[in-house]
Amino acid sequence: MNQDQLSIAVVSGDFDKVLAAMVISLGAAAMDMEVKLFFSFWSLAALRDPKKKAHGKNFVSKMFGIMLPKGKDKLKLSNMNMGGMGPKMIKSIMKKHGVLSLEEMFKQAGEFGIEITICEMSMDLMGIKKEELIDYPNLRFAGAVTFAGDAGESSAQLFI
Amino acid sequence: MNQDQLSIAVVSGDFDKVLAAMVISLGAAAMDMEVKLFFSFWSLAALRDPKKKAHGKNFVSKMFGIMLPKGKDKLKLSNMNMGGMGPKMIKSIMKKHGVLSLEEMFKQAGEFGIEITICEMSMDLMGIKKEELIDYPNLRFAGAVTFAGDAGESSAQLFI
Amino acid sequence: MNQDQLSIAVVSGDFDKVLAAMVISLGAAAMDMEVKLFFSFWSLAALRDPKKKAHGKNFVSKMFGIMLPKGKDKLKLSNMNMGGMGPKMIKSIMKKHGVLSLEEMFKQAGEFGIEITICEMSMDLMGIKKEELIDYPNLRFAGAVTFAGDAGESSAQLFI
C-alpha cells in the first residue's frame, strides 16, 4: 500500500462537489501526497471544453450533450442553485476571498502532477467523446477496475 | 488491518449511485479484494424484491412502502431523471455497450462472495421487512457499529 | 498512519446524511477509534445554533443566513422531504425505536471526544460567523489542507 496516495472517485457533477474534490486534492498534493482522480458519470460535464465540439454523435449522445452542463463554468449547485444565481454568488464570494476559481484549480492540479482518469464506460453511457474534453497534462482513460486498483493501493479514498 | 478489503456504505438509492457501488465492488472483487457492502437508508429500495410482499405493516411503513422505489429496476437517476426516461435511456445504452444490468451485477456479486449487510436501524426507520428483500447468498443484518468495525479494518472505504 | 483513526468530511447538509455521519462516528468511537469530523459547505447549517445571532453581516451573508436551515432541527431529507413532513416522520420513528436524536448524538460525540473541525473557507463562502455556531467542547477552525492531512494519517476516510 502507498502510504501517501489519495484516490478520489468524482461521480457528482455539482459545482460544490467538484470544488470540494479539487480543494481536497490540492490540499493533499501540497502535503506531498500523490493524488489520483477518477472522473465518472455527471462529473464528466466538468471536463467538457466549451470551445470544442465532437462530431458524428448519434441522437441520444446529442441529447445528453445538450442537457449536460458544458464545462466547469456551467455546473450547478447541489442546493440553492436558483437558476444559476447560486453558483454566480458563490463564485463572486470566492473571488472576493481570494479563493482560486475551478479553472485555476484544474490548472494547478495539472502542474502538481495530479492524475485524472476518465471512466470510459461513463463516456460511452453519456456519449461524450475525447475530442470535446479539456486539455490536461496528465489524462488517462480507463475503467472501474483501474479505480478499484488505485483505491486499494491508496492510503486514503473518497467517493464524491 | 486487512490490506485487501473494501468496505462501502451505500446510503443513496439513486440508480447511478447504486450502479457505481456495484461496478466498483465487482472491479475490486475481480482484483481479489474482499468486498463488504453496507446498505442503509435509501439504498434499501434497491434490495426490495418486487415479487415479494410484507404483511402486518403499520400506516407509516405502508406509506414509505408506497413511496420508495420497489426494487432496483425502479430506481431514479440523481440527475436528469425526467420522469423515468433518464434511467430507461441509460439502461438501453448499457445494454447496447454490453454492460451488465444491475440485476446481473447483484447476481455476480453473490457469486463473487461479496457480503451485503443491511442496516437494521434503516429497516426500522423505513418500515422495510426481511420478507420483502431479494434473495442473496451472503446477506447479514447489523448496525452502524458493524460498518464502523468493517471500515476500520479495511484498507479502503467509500460512502456512496 | 494511525490505525484507529476515522476522518469524515461532512459536506452534505441533509438530515439523513448528517445522521449517517453521526451514527457512523459514534459507532467508531464506541469501538475506541479516534474520530475527526470536518464540516464544510451545506453541513455548516447543522452547526448553527438557532438561539444565537450574528451581527454585522453583509447583504449576501444575510441572504445565505435566511436560506440555509437554522440548526440541525431544520435540516431537510435528501429524498421525500415533502415540505418538512419527511424529517418529522423519520424523527418520530427514531424516537419510537429508541434511536438518539441528532441533538443527543452531538452531545454524545462531544463526550466521546470526537473532534469537529469547521472549514473556514466554507464559513467565508456562506457568511457564517463563529458566534452563531453551537457550543461544542472540541471545536477547531481550519482549512482543507488540515482535512487532507487528517485523512492521510487516518486508516479510514469518508466523504459524506
Side-chain angles (χ1 to χ4, degrees):
Chain A
M1 189 170 61
N2 189 333
Q3 289 284 16
D4 296 314
Q5 188 174 304
L6 166 67
S7 287
I8 307 183
V10 190
V11 174
S12 165
D14 298 317
F15 178 80
D16 41 319
K17 300 298 176 69
V18 175
L19 182 66
M22 297 312 292
V23 168
I24 293 171
S25 295
L26 293 177
M31 299 180 72
D32 273 333
M33 291 182 84
E34 198 175 330
V35 181
K36 297 189 172 193
L37 299 175
F38 184 80
F39 277 70
S40 69
F41 260 98
W42 313 108
S43 71
L44 294 197
L47 300 178
R48 295 175 84 194
D49 186 329
K51 293 185 300 292
K52 295 185 187 174
K53 230 183 135 99
H55 297 282
K57 286 195 174 190
N58 62 24
F59 177 70
V60 172
S61 298
K62 274 182 193 155
M63 270 189 64
F64 267 108
I66 290 165
M67 288 182 299
L68 285 174
K70 198 150 185 172
K72 50 186 124 48
D73 248 4
K74 303 284 191 205
L75 303 179
K76 294 173 180 172
L77 278 179
S78 66
N79 270 318
M80 293 176 30
N81 187 60
M82 303 177 292
M85 219 177 84
K88 274 212 187 84
M89 273 169 62
I90 291 280
K91 284 175 205 169
S92 83
I93 308 173
M94 281 168 68
K95 204 170 176 180
K96 203 180 122 197
H97 283 277
V99 180
L100 292 185
S101 70
L102 258 193
E103 182 75 35
E104 292 163 324
M105 286 187 189
F106 272 91
K107 194 162 171 283
Q108 197 164 95
E111 287 162 6
F112 278 172
I114 291 176
E115 188 182 277
I116 292 184
T117 302
I118 300 183
C119 174
E120 288 181 317
M121 189 183 99
S122 299
M123 288 181 69
D124 283 345
L125 293 186
M126 309 208 147
I128 287 181
K129 299 197 169 189
K130 290 186 185 181
E131 62 255 38
E132 59 184 308
L133 299 176
I134 56 166
D135 297 311
Y136 186 85
N138 207 354
L139 207 62
R140 287 195 308 172
F141 297 89
V145 174
T146 299
F147 171 70
D150 284 348
E153 70 173 37
S154 294
S155 59
Q157 312 80 17
L158 300 171
F159 182 97
I160 293 185
Chain B
M1 188 169 62
N2 189 334
Q3 289 284 15
D4 297 314
Q5 188 173 304
L6 167 67
S7 286
I8 306 183
V10 191
V11 174
S12 165
D14 298 316
F15 178 79
D16 41 317
K17 300 299 176 68
V18 174
L19 183 66
M22 297 311 291
V23 168
I24 294 171
S25 295
L26 293 177
M31 298 180 71
D32 273 333
M33 292 182 83
E34 198 174 333
V35 181
K36 298 189 172 191
L37 298 174
F38 184 80
F39 277 70
S40 68
F41 262 99
W42 313 107
S43 71
L44 294 196
L47 301 177
R48 295 175 83 194
D49 186 330
K51 294 185 300 291
K52 295 185 185 173
K53 231 184 133 94
H55 296 281
K57 287 196 175 188
N58 62 24
F59 177 69
V60 171
S61 299
K62 274 182 192 155
M63 268 189 65
F64 267 108
I66 289 166
M67 288 183 298
L68 284 175
K70 200 153 183 170
K72 52 184 122 51
D73 249 3
K74 302 284 190 206
L75 303 180
K76 293 174 182 172
L77 278 180
S78 66
N79 270 319
M80 293 176 28
N81 187 61
M82 302 177 292
M85 219 178 81
K88 274 213 187 84
M89 273 169 61
I90 291 281
K91 283 175 204 168
S92 83
I93 308 174
M94 283 169 68
K95 206 171 175 180
K96 203 180 121 198
H97 284 277
V99 180
L100 292 184
S101 70
L102 258 192
E103 181 76 36
E104 293 162 325
M105 286 186 190
F106 272 92
K107 196 164 170 284
Q108 197 163 96
E111 287 162 7
F112 278 172
I114 291 175
E115 188 182 277
I116 292 184
T117 302
I118 299 181
C119 172
E120 287 180 318
M121 189 184 98
S122 300
M123 289 181 68
D124 284 346
L125 293 186
M126 309 211 146
I128 286 180
K129 299 198 168 187
K130 289 186 185 181
E131 63 255 39
E132 59 184 306
L133 298 176
I134 57 167
D135 296 311
Y136 186 85
N138 207 354
L139 209 59
R140 288 195 307 173
F141 297 88
V145 175
T146 299
F147 171 70
D150 284 349
E153 71 175 34
S154 293
S155 58
Q157 313 81 16
L158 300 171
F159 183 97
I160 295 186
Chain C
M1 189 170 63
N2 189 334
Q3 289 284 14
D4 296 315
Q5 187 173 307
L6 166 67
S7 287
I8 306 183
V10 190
V11 174
S12 165
D14 297 317
F15 178 79
D16 41 317
K17 300 299 176 69
V18 175
L19 182 67
M22 297 311 291
V23 168
I24 294 172
S25 295
L26 292 177
M31 299 180 71
D32 273 332
M33 292 181 84
E34 198 175 332
V35 181
K36 298 189 171 191
L37 298 175
F38 184 80
F39 277 69
S40 69
F41 260 97
W42 312 107
S43 71
L44 294 196
L47 301 178
R48 295 174 83 193
D49 186 330
K51 292 186 300 292
K52 296 184 185 173
K53 232 182 134 95
H55 296 281
K57 287 196 176 190
N58 62 23
F59 177 70
V60 172
S61 299
K62 273 182 192 156
M63 269 189 66
F64 267 109
I66 290 165
M67 288 182 299
L68 285 175
K70 200 154 184 168
K72 51 185 123 49
D73 248 3
K74 302 285 190 205
L75 303 180
K76 293 174 179 171
L77 278 179
S78 66
N79 270 318
M80 291 176 32
N81 187 61
M82 303 178 292
M85 218 178 84
K88 274 213 185 83
M89 273 170 62
I90 291 282
K91 284 176 205 169
S92 84
I93 308 173
M94 282 169 69
K95 203 170 178 180
K96 203 179 122 197
H97 283 277
V99 181
L100 293 185
S101 70
L102 259 192
E103 181 76 35
E104 292 162 325
M105 286 187 191
F106 273 91
K107 194 162 172 286
Q108 199 164 93
E111 287 162 7
F112 278 172
I114 291 176
E115 188 182 276
I116 291 184
T117 302
I118 299 182
C119 173
E120 288 181 319
M121 189 183 97
S122 300
M123 289 180 68
D124 283 345
L125 293 186
M126 308 209 147
I128 287 180
K129 299 198 169 188
K130 290 186 184 181
E131 63 254 38
E132 60 184 308
L133 298 176
I134 57 168
D135 297 311
Y136 186 84
N138 207 354
L139 208 60
R140 288 196 305 173
F141 297 88
V145 174
T146 300
F147 171 70
D150 284 349
E153 70 173 36
S154 294
S155 60
Q157 314 78 17
L158 300 171
F159 182 98
I160 294 185

